[in-house]
Amino acid sequence: MSLVLDPVAQDLLFREARTANTFTDEPVTDEQVQAIYDLVKFGPTAFNQSPLRVVLVRSAEGRERLVQHMAEGNRPKTATAPLVAILAADNEFHEELPALLPHFPQAKDMFFAERPVRESAAGLNAALQAAYFIIGVRAAGLAAGPMTGYDPAGIQKEFLDGDHTPLMVVNIGKPGEDAWFPRSPRLSFDEVVTTV
């Protein structure tokens, strides 16, 4: 059975998509970021909890503060990308549930009154949204360079607060010269899927 999605879109979003390591200096506009969010906000999360929060780092001062918390190999990429996004999980997402889940507002207190439960749910669902975000960046014709090589405590202290957990840093822009490493192998269908 073939996929419904056009093969060109399949390539753009998945087959040809890779982590970009260099970028041109072409800016990423606020309109592009808004379009990305307006697309990916519809990706499903449990209870529609939508815990992803995004910090856009545009200023030279913000970039300098961020780069010092990146792993050594990630610093040049982050220093030169046109836009950098810090993706974080909001551990107090439940405060928005009455608006986001109007047919079941009691979910806020029924399921998410305990902080450890919220942190677990926020981490999983914000990670889902982070994946949607990366695909949205690709859908906008941009390249994404998601990274987890950084000091989480440093980024949390510098850009977030105790209610937000950093998930990843994503460099965003048009791919530059030698942007791609060779594609690494993937597991086959039979190695991943089991039918019971």
Side-chain angles (χ1 to χ4, degrees), residues 37 71 118 127 129:
Y37 177 73
R118 289 197 306 274
Q129 289 187 285

mmCIF file of all heavy atoms in Angstrom, residues 37 71 118 127 129:
data_model
loop_
_atom_site.group_PDB
_atom_site.id
_atom_site.type_symbol
_atom_site.label_atom_id
_atom_site.label_comp_id
_atom_site.label_asym_id
_atom_site.label_seq_id
_atom_site.Cartn_x
_atom_site.Cartn_y
_atom_site.Cartn_z
ATOM 1 N N TYR A 37 4.492 27.101 13.930
ATOM 2 C CA TYR A 37 3.683 26.816 15.121
ATOM 3 C C TYR A 37 2.216 26.587 14.766
ATOM 4 O O TYR A 37 1.577 25.666 15.283
ATOM 5 C CB TYR A 37 3.788 27.937 16.159
ATOM 6 C CG TYR A 37 2.879 27.636 17.322
ATOM 7 C CD1 TYR A 37 3.205 26.629 18.234
ATOM 8 C CD2 TYR A 37 1.653 28.278 17.468
ATOM 9 C CE1 TYR A 37 2.350 26.289 19.263
ATOM 10 C CE2 TYR A 37 0.792 27.946 18.495
ATOM 11 C CZ TYR A 37 1.142 26.955 19.383
ATOM 12 O OH TYR A 37 0.277 26.605 20.390
ATOM 13 N N ALA A 71 27.570 21.966 24.413
ATOM 14 C CA ALA A 71 28.758 21.115 24.324
ATOM 15 C C ALA A 71 29.716 21.722 23.296
ATOM 16 O O ALA A 71 29.283 22.393 22.341
ATOM 17 C CB ALA A 71 28.364 19.699 23.925
ATOM 18 N N ARG A 118 2.871 15.227 36.650
ATOM 19 C CA ARG A 118 2.931 16.285 35.631
ATOM 20 C C ARG A 118 4.269 16.270 34.902
ATOM 21 O O ARG A 118 4.316 16.430 33.683
ATOM 22 C CB ARG A 118 2.710 17.659 36.260
ATOM 23 C CG ARG A 118 1.305 17.903 36.715
ATOM 24 C CD ARG A 118 1.023 19.367 36.939
ATOM 25 N NE ARG A 118 1.936 20.048 37.837
ATOM 26 C CZ ARG A 118 1.810 20.094 39.164
ATOM 27 N NH1 ARG A 118 0.818 19.446 39.762
ATOM 28 N NH2 ARG A 118 2.669 20.770 39.897
ATOM 29 N N ALA A 127 8.010 16.141 24.246
ATOM 30 C CA ALA A 127 8.913 15.486 23.292
ATOM 31 C C ALA A 127 8.174 15.176 21.987
ATOM 32 O O ALA A 127 8.738 15.338 20.892
ATOM 33 C CB ALA A 127 9.503 14.215 23.896
ATOM 34 N N GLN A 129 5.698 16.933 20.842
ATOM 35 C CA GLN A 129 5.554 18.229 20.189
ATOM 36 C C GLN A 129 6.873 18.722 19.608
ATOM 37 O O GLN A 129 6.879 19.411 18.585
ATOM 38 C CB GLN A 129 4.993 19.258 21.171
ATOM 39 C CG GLN A 129 3.529 19.015 21.511
ATOM 40 C CD GLN A 129 2.995 20.150 22.352
ATOM 41 O OE1 GLN A 129 3.299 20.242 23.539
ATOM 42 N NE2 GLN A 129 2.211 21.023 21.737
#
